[in-house]
Amino acid sequence: MEEARGELLGIVREARVLMDRERARGRGHIPVAGAADGWPAETLALPGFEAFASTAAPAPAAPVSLPAPIPLGPREDLPQLLPELQALVSSCRLCSLCSTRTQTVFADGSPTARLMFVGEAPGRDEDAQGLPFVGRAGQLLNKMIAAIDLKREEVYICNVLKCRPPDNRVPAPDEVGRCRPYLEQQIALVKPALVCALGLSATQALLETKASMASLRGKTFTYRGIPLIPTYHPAALLRNPGLKREAWIDLQRVRDMLREKTGATQGGDP
């Protein structure tokens, strides 16, 4: 660095002599710019660099003004208590799923939980029993919860949709839009310290993105000030057991972040 700087200063001195001679003859100019980092304050208009020498330095970029996050708080247009919200959901007819459901599926677990799991939509077993994650995927979720030293009754479990889509198809955008206020109100009333999104549909709905699962998992996002960690849906793990290794990595991050945020000091890895 010092050697290069010495060579540059030598070139500048030599060029200055030449320019002084040209000035004495009434030709040439030396535009002046501010010094920075110890480099010469004068920028010489040498052949081939005239355009750069005469171009003013760009003004510092203005700070990017990002929209303020929506504060976490209950919506005034919806019930302020979870039981009342559940009653409202049970009579909801905002989309066509109301005509094919057996019953709505609101939530399960503790209303004061520090960890909330959000899935995609109820399946056949959930539609029959009125509780989320009670089929084979639910049994696996119970094991996943136990693996991070928690019990099902200590967490809060819900879905983006409160009604089962026919044949367990992927939720339609309008269905997600109709149900989103209910989910937002659930999160606002429970006030979890951490949200774990189960599967692509739930993650996309919460983050309002169309990004792929491959680009989303392994990262921590924020939903209205609450950390959000996406991972695979238990049903996907049943179809493809090879994903369980990555899901376990995600769950360890969930466990560690939850402990960090709540000050928990539970046991080590299972």
Side-chain angles (χ1 to χ4, degrees):
M1 181 67 182
E2 289 297 324
E3 181 179 355
R5 178 176 174 176
E7 292 179 358
L8 179 58
L9 289 175
I11 294 172
V12 169
R13 284 194 294 268
E14 182 176 349
R16 185 173 295 161
V17 171
L18 294 174
M19 294 301 293
D20 285 342
R21 293 176 182 173
E22 291 296 307
R23 185 185 293 109
R25 297 174 183 172
R27 294 178 295 183
H29 67 279
I30 303 179
V32 178
D37 301 325
W39 294 95
E42 298 180 284
T43 303
L44 303 180
L46 299 176
F49 292 89
E50 293 86 356
F52 298 99
S54 62
T55 302
V64 177
S65 179
L66 297 176
I70 301 174
L72 180 66
R75 296 169 56 113
E76 295 182 358
D77 59 334
L78 290 174
Q80 304 299 298
L81 298 174
L82 287 170
E84 295 177 359
L85 180 64
Q86 183 173 1
L88 176 63
V89 168
S90 68
S91 61
C92 178
R93 304 189 67 81
L94 293 178
C95 76
S96 61
L97 294 181
C98 66
S99 62
T100 58
R101 72 190 181 208
T102 300
Q103 58 187 317
T104 57
V105 179
F106 186 71
D108 192 25
S110 171
T112 60
R114 306 306 292 150
L115 174 60
M116 175 184 283
F117 288 97
V118 179
E120 175 182 294
R124 180 187 59 190
D125 294 326
E126 290 75 18
D127 179 63
Q129 299 185 39
L131 290 172
F133 287 91
V134 292
R136 291 184 61 225
Q139 295 171 14
L140 179 55
L141 178 60
N142 292 344
K143 295 179 180 179
M144 294 164 66
I145 294 170
I148 55 175
D149 305 318
L150 290 172
K151 300 176 182 178
R152 182 180 173 108
E153 56 267 26
E154 293 177 318
V155 303
Y156 191 86
I157 306 171
C158 62
N159 286 303
V160 175
L161 296 192
K162 310 309 180 191
C163 300
R164 179 197 180 195
D167 300 319
N168 293 347
R169 62 164 171 74
V170 175
D174 68 302
E175 295 165 352
V176 173
R178 299 288 187 181
C179 253
R180 186 191 305 278
Y182 299 142
L183 175 61
E184 292 176 349
Q185 192 76 339
Q186 282 179 293
I187 298 175
L189 293 176
V190 175
K191 300 177 184 176
L194 177 63
V195 172
C196 180
L198 300 171
L200 180 60
S201 291
T203 304
Q204 289 180 333
L206 285 165
L207 298 180
E208 298 186 61
T209 179
K210 294 184 179 180
S212 66
M213 195 63 183
S215 65
L216 292 169
R217 71 152 300 277
K219 302 175 183 177
T220 300
F221 300 89
T222 300
Y223 171 82
R224 297 176 66 178
I226 301 175
L228 185 150
I229 296 177
T231 191
Y232 296 109
H233 193 285
L237 301 180
L238 291 173
R239 293 191 300 267
N240 188 353
L243 298 176
K244 289 183 178 180
R245 181 179 183 85
E246 293 179 355
W248 172 232
I249 293 174
D250 297 334
L251 286 174
Q252 290 179 90
R253 293 176 57 241
V254 168
R255 178 199 62 196
D256 294 345
M257 180 170 291
L258 188 64
R259 289 177 179 176
E260 178 183 341
K261 293 187 69 65
T262 61
T265 56
Q266 298 182 5
D269 294 347

